[in-house]
């Protein structure tokens, strides 16, 4: 049987020249509007944007890459499960969007081979720069990529890098703030629950928090307990936490390397009938949204994820614009006191300490 349906004519591809003709302006003018270039009048912008909307024009990023900038950046995340990351991404977008940049996100899952393949793909797609969030790659590998594309690493503590930029929160100070807050509430038996070392442990935020914890304990003259470490992928990690809580010699107060483990520890302790904070005080790290829920009310170290993202984006833009000297930026953490640290009435006027042992004004 013959198909009597008329074939729909193929839609002609809309190009920058099509938009220019429709708007009655030059191709250069359209290019300036799509790139958000300086000096474009509002009248010209409106005329071109109206034509773009009518015609359904989408600029070719690949073509822009051949001519120069694509106005796209890559953001590489290591573990998307961490609730701290949306704040970092939000901060990046808050800076990049007004600059007419789009962020494309890849997830490396802490696997070096996957990380390198994602970085190489982002380079192949002619992205203008990369933000790597807590990468697990060695500095020399990142440096080689940085010779091809501007790179800013967030949560990567290596003071010797010269080919790419780093943006970090002062993680040692964050851990010290937790120790001092425990002291202020009268806890002298303080432990830390951390993460099993990975390939990038020496440059990771986890390592810095462990260092800061040990320094603060020694500074206070307290008993230095071994830091307990649990692998993120350990199938029995919940049982390890139960054994930790059940141990008669466990510490009276615990700093967790991340809210991921602090919330889990809190939940397990409550399930086991251990009262928080009456029998076990807990401080997490990251001040993720879940910590403020009333049934949890977890004290946590806030490292300002949005601000870190903003700084990373601003630093990357300046690198894209031609800066060549390496920048190493640090932000300051703060403690958010909640009931897992002490009785609610005792936290109405909390005593907050800085990492040098002095009270905050």
């Amino acid at each position: 049987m013959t198909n009597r349906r008329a074939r729909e004519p193929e839609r002609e591809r809309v190009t920058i020249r099509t938009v220019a003709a429709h708007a009655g302006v030059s191709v250069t003018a359209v290019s300036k509007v799509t790139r958000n270039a300086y000096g474009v009048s509002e009248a010209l912008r409106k005329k071109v944007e109206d034509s773009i909307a009518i015609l359904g024009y989408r600029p070719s990023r690949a073509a822009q890459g051949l001519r120069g900038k694509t106005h796209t950046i890559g953001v590489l995340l290591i573990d998307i499960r961490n609730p701290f990351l949306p704040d970092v991404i939000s901060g990046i977008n808050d800076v990049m969007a007004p600059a007419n940049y789009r962020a494309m996100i890849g997830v490396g899952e802490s696997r070096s081979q996957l990380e390198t393949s994602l970085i190489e793909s982002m380079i192949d797609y002619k992205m203008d720069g990369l933000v790597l969030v807590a990468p697990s790659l060695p500095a020399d590998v990142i440096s080689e990529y940085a010779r091809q594309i501007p790179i800013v690493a967030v949560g990567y503590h290596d003071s010797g890098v010269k080919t790419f930029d780093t943006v970090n929160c002062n993680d040692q100070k964050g851990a010290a703030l937790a120790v001092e807050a425990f002291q202020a509430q009268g806890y002298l038996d303080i432990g830390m629950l951390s993460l099993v070392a990975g390939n990038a442990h020496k440059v990771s935020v986890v390592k810095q928090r462990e260092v800061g914890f040990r320094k603060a304990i020694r500074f206070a003259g307290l008993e230095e307990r071994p830091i307990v470490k649990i692998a993120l992928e350990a199938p029995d990690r919940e049982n390890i936490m139960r054994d930790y809580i059940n141990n008669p010699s466990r510490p009276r107060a615990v700093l967790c390397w991340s809210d991921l483990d602090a919330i889990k520890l809190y939940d397990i302790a409550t399930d086991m009938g251990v009262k928080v904070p009456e029998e076990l005080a807990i401080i997490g790290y990251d001040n993720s949204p879940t910590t403020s829920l009333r049934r949890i009310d977890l004290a946590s170290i806030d490292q300002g994820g949005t601000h870190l993202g903003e700084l990373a984006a601003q630093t990357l833009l300046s690198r894209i614009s031609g800066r060549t000297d390496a920048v190493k930026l640090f932000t300051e953490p703060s403690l958010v006191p909640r009931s897992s640290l002490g009785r609610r009435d005792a936290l109405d006027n909390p005593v907050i300490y800085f990492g040098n042992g002095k009270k905050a004004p």
Side-chain angles (χ1 to χ4, degrees), residues 91-114:
I92 292 171
N93 284 330
D94 285 348
V95 172
M96 286 299 181
N100 201 34
Y101 274 83
R102 292 172 175 82
M104 311 295 286
I105 297 174
V107 182
E109 299 177 359
S110 293
R111 300 199 328 247
S112 296
Q113 187 174 359
L114 180 56

Side-chain angles (χ1 to χ4, degrees), residues 208-269:
Q208 292 297 307
R209 292 168 194 175
E210 291 176 1
V211 170
F213 174 79
R214 290 193 183 100
K215 284 182 177 179
I217 291 292
R218 292 168 189 163
F219 181 80
L222 302 176
E223 177 187 354
E224 189 173 347
R225 285 175 164 271
I227 294 174
V228 175
K229 303 180 182 183
I230 310 175
L232 197 59
E233 303 297 337
D236 57 343
R237 69 192 328 267
E238 186 169 319
N239 289 332
I240 295 172
M241 288 188 185
R242 286 184 179 276
D243 291 342
Y244 180 71
I245 294 170
N246 250 339
N247 192 328
S249 62
R250 67 161 167 78
R252 176 65 180 78
V254 179
L255 165 65
C256 293
W257 73 277
S258 167
D259 291 337
L260 286 169
D261 275 356
I263 293 170
K264 176 60 69 175
L265 187 72
Y266 193 128
D267 181 60
I268 292 172

Side-chain angles (χ1 to χ4, degrees), residues 156-170:
Y156 195 85
H157 291 270
D158 190 329
S159 59
V161 298
K162 293 184 172 64
T163 57
F164 61 93
D165 305 316
T166 57
V167 175
N168 294 295
C169 185
N170 189 337

Side-chain angles (χ1 to χ4, degrees), residues 206-332:
V206 180
K207 175 69 173 179
Q208 292 297 307
R209 292 168 194 175
E210 291 176 1
V211 170
F213 174 79
R214 290 193 183 100
K215 284 182 177 179
I217 291 292
R218 292 168 189 163
F219 181 80
L222 302 176
E223 177 187 354
E224 189 173 347
R225 285 175 164 271
I227 294 174
V228 175
K229 303 180 182 183
I230 310 175
L232 197 59
E233 303 297 337
D236 57 343
R237 69 192 328 267
E238 186 169 319
N239 289 332
I240 295 172
M241 288 188 185
R242 286 184 179 276
D243 291 342
Y244 180 71
I245 294 170
N246 250 339
N247 192 328
S249 62
R250 67 161 167 78
R252 176 65 180 78
V254 179
L255 165 65
C256 293
W257 73 277
S258 167
D259 291 337
L260 286 169
D261 275 356
I263 293 170
K264 176 60 69 175
L265 187 72
Y266 193 128
D267 181 60
I268 292 172
T270 303
D271 184 59
M272 294 173 65
V274 175
K275 295 179 180 179
V276 178
E278 291 83 358
E279 297 174 270
L280 178 65
I282 303 173
I283 295 179
Y285 211 110
D286 289 338
N287 194 34
S288 52
T290 309
T291 60
S292 63
L293 296 178
R294 292 187 64 83
R295 289 187 179 274
I296 296 176
D297 208 37
L298 176 71
S300 189
I301 302 299
D302 189 348
Q303 57 175 328
T306 302
H307 184 46
L308 281 173
E310 290 170 348
L311 279 179
Q314 291 163 0
T315 304
L316 185 61
L317 286 176
S318 70
R319 176 73 83 161
I320 291 171
S321 296
R323 176 179 50 79
T324 57
D325 56 306
V327 168
K328 301 173 182 64
L329 300 179
F330 279 90
T331 64
E332 294 301 308

